[in-house]
């Protein structure tokens, strides 16, 4: 085992452990904080795999924006310090779907790669990535931006009752 | 030089800068503010013009009792100073002091790394605000979350403009590409970056999350002793980091007037950082605090449009000139 293997295993253990804590803890806000740990550990795995840019994108977007928004929203509504008794839902269906998807994907990956060694490419340099995104992958890139645009418009409509969906009432 | 020695020297140097520069800035703030207000400021600690005032403050903080409120979420509460400090330490690692090897670590995506890491301190603000079990803390934290998320946009856009102009994301690369006429051309981006930077480190006049006349001390209200000292330290490291980034991105970093950049580059960088730090202190003394709504208005209706306009200008000039 190389150092990279050990690091990957350790980070993977942290990610999985923190992910379990996210769904088992009875503290709402702490669940969000454990999610930060999970996403941070995944970013660390990207770093070990020499995908620097992806790792820092993960930090910028997931840790710095998505989880922060999540926590922000939780704090604006109801976030008691200490355990909440009413957090749990019937876990059966969720376990079936989550576990099934996870196991299926894992089986697929293990079957696809077995023990083949994968060569690392060049460490993710920005120039190469830029050329790839705006050369080979420009169509998916543009389609993604349309998705973001749709989300933006949706957010505006939800937050502005005066231009929102008509529900029979005259806006004030 | 063997690798481990090289690595040790670099890490020790960055740590030293991390511990010493904020103290110098803090002392400068004491004295500069005092003289601007017709006072003398600290005069006794250490003898000569109170130079050891912050050391004395540090000793005082170490002696104080560490209090955690009974209703607080203890582990989260106690973790906050580390989360507030570590990102700034990481950022100092990639800021170039001079040409060649005078940088903690060369990173091809240095600027992106800096922006990603600087998006983490908002976690600390929210954690402190929520775990303190205090209304004022929570109000400060919610204000802080809104402010930091909002100002991140102009911050990133202004930085993107200069990266586009230089054609690289590497911080030493940006300094190498910099030329004096960029001062004019990138001026709007410079102003946007500087103001958004002030908001990112919650400095007056953009300090509504702390706002001592409204919210006691915002999300820092419940902190005492050493943890409070670390939170204060993170504010001053933040000043150094924003000043250093402004220097490196917009003021030409190690480039100086006499053509001795190879020998004196580090001095130019430090002098420019000191000058920007002085302006940051000066702004605190000069301007009253913005109201929460004024603060958001400034961000979304002034800084973001200016930054977008600057991006268009930068792209146009790049296409025409290069």
């Amino acid at each position: 085992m190389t150092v990279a293997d050990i690091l990957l295993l350790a980070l993977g253990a942290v990610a999985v452990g923190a992910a379990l804590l996210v769904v088992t803890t009875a503290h709402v806000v702490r669940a969000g904080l454990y999610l930060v740990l999970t996403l941070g550990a995944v970013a660390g795995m990207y770093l070990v795999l020499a995908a620097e840019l992806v790792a820092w994108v993960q930090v910028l977007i997931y840790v710095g924006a998505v989880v922060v928004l999540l926590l922000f929203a939780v704090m604006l509504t109801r976030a008691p310090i200490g355990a909440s008794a009413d957090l749990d839902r019937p876990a059966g269906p969720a376990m079936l779907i989550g576990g099934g998807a996870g196991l299926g994907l894992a089986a697929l990956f293990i079957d696809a790669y077995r023990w083949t060694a994968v060569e690392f490419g060049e460490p993710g340099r920005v120039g190469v990535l830029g050329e790839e995104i705006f050369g080979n992958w420009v169509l998916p890139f543009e389609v993604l931006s349309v998705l973001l645009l749709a989300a933006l418009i949706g957010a505006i409509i939800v937050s502005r009752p005066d231009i929102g969906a008509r529900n029979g009432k005259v806006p004030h | 030089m063997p690798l481990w020695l090289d690595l040790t020297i670099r890490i020790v140097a960055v740590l030293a800068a991390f511990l010493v520069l904020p103290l110098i800035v803090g002392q400068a703030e004491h004295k500069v503010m005092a003289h601007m207000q017709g006072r003398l400021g600290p005069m006794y600690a250490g003898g000569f013009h109170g130079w050891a005032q912050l050391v004395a403050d540090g000793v005082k903080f170490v002696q104080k009792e560490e209090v955690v409120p009974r209703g607080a979420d203890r582990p989260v509460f106690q973790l906050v100073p580390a989360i507030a400090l570590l990102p700034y330490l990481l950022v100092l690692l990639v800021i170039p002091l001079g040409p060649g090897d005078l940088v903690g670590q060369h990173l091809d995506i240095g600027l992106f790394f800096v922006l990603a890491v600087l998006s983490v301190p908002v976690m600390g603000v929210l954690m402190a605000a929520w775990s303190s079990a205090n209304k004022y803390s929570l109000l400060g934290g919610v204000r802080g979350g809104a402010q930091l998320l909002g100002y991140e946009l102009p911050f990133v856009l202004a930085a993107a403009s200069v990266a586009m102009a230089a054609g690289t994301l590497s911080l030493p690369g940006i300094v190498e590409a910099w030329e004096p006429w960029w001062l004019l051309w990138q001026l709007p981006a410079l102003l946007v970056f500087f103001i958004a930077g002030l908001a990112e480190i919650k400095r007056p006049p953009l300090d509504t999350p702390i706002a001592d006349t409204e919210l006691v001390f915002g999300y820092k209200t419940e902190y005492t002793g050493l943890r409070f000292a670390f939170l204060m330290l993170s504010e001053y490291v933040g000043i150094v980091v924003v000043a250093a980034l402004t220097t490196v991105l917009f003021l030409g970093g190690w480039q100086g007037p006499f053509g001795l950049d190879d020998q004196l580059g580090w001095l130019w960088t430090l002098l420019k950082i000191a000058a920007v730090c002085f302006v940051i202190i000066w702004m605190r003394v000069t301007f009253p605090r913005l109201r929460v709504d004024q603060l958001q208005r400034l961000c979304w209706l002034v800084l973001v449009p200016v930054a977008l306009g600057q991006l268009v200008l930068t792209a146009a000039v790049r296409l025409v000139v290069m």
Side-chain angles (χ1 to χ4, degrees), chain A residues 71-168:
Chain A
L71 285 179
F72 197 64
V74 169
M75 283 179 199
L76 279 179
T77 52
R78 190 185 59 110
I81 289 175
S84 317
D86 56 347
L87 278 186
D88 275 335
R89 306 255 155 180
M95 267 170 84
L96 201 68
I97 297 172
L103 282 179
L105 276 178
L108 204 67
F109 269 112
I110 292 171
D111 183 57
Y113 289 102
R114 305 276 170 177
W115 289 106
T116 43
V118 180
E119 286 293 315
F120 282 153
E122 286 279 298
R125 299 190 67 89
V126 196
V128 183
L129 270 169
E131 275 161 22
E132 284 290 316
I133 289 178
F134 293 105
N136 292 337
W137 301 95
V138 72
L139 188 66
F141 181 76
E142 287 300 321
V143 172
L144 272 182
S145 71
V146 173
L147 179 70
L148 285 180
L149 186 65
L152 269 178
I153 295 173
I156 291 172
I157 290 179
V158 169
S159 62
R160 293 261 317 256
D162 53 329
I163 59 167
R166 310 245 182 289
N167 53 2

Side-chain angles (χ1 to χ4, degrees), chain B residues 182-269:
Chain B
W182 285 27
L183 275 178
L184 280 180
W185 170 40
Q186 296 290 337
L187 185 63
L190 165 64
L191 294 176
V192 169
F193 186 85
F194 181 69
I195 295 173
L198 281 185
E200 289 284 320
I201 54 174
K202 305 166 286 286
R203 279 290 294 181
L206 305 171
D207 65 335
T208 52
I210 299 165
D212 52 333
T213 44
E214 303 162 33
L215 297 179
V216 189
F217 214 52
Y219 63 92
K220 297 179 186 170
T221 302
E222 294 291 352
Y223 282 87
T224 52
L226 211 51
R227 289 207 157 77
F228 181 74
F230 280 138
L231 281 181
M232 290 310 282
L233 180 67
S234 81
E235 182 181 338
Y236 288 93
V237 188
I239 297 179
V240 173
V241 163
V242 165
L245 284 176
T246 311
T247 301
V248 167
L249 294 179
F250 295 98
L251 302 178
W254 66 70
Q255 297 196 27
F258 305 124
L260 288 172
D261 296 349
D262 282 342
Q263 292 83 35
L264 290 179
W266 58 274
L267 184 64
W268 301 138
T269 309

Side-chain angles (χ1 to χ4, degrees), chain B residues 7 26 29 31 34-35 52 62 70 72 76 79 98 119 147 159 178 192 212 218 252 273 278 296 299 303 305 310:
Chain B
L7 212 63
E29 181 174 43
K31 295 306 269 189
H35 283 282
V62 171
R70 188 187 297 150
V76 179
L79 196 63
S119 72
Q147 170 171 336
W178 187 86
V192 169
D212 52 333
I273 293 177
F278 177 80
Q296 293 293 341
C299 174
L303 295 186
Q310 171 76 64

Side-chain angles (χ1 to χ4, degrees), chain B residues 281-299:
Chain B
I281 296 168
W282 190 6
M283 290 189 72
R284 169 174 181 180
V285 188
T286 309
F287 295 109
R289 175 183 309 121
L290 264 69
R291 248 178 15 230
V292 182
D293 60 318
Q294 291 169 332
L295 189 100
Q296 293 293 341
R297 184 169 280 272
L298 173 71
C299 174

Side-chain angles (χ1 to χ4, degrees), chain B residues 1-11 101 104-105:
Chain B
M1 202 163 10
L3 180 67
W4 64 268
L5 186 63
D6 188 55
L7 212 63
T8 318
I9 291 177
R10 281 165 194 276
I11 290 174
D101 243 7
Q105 172 68 48

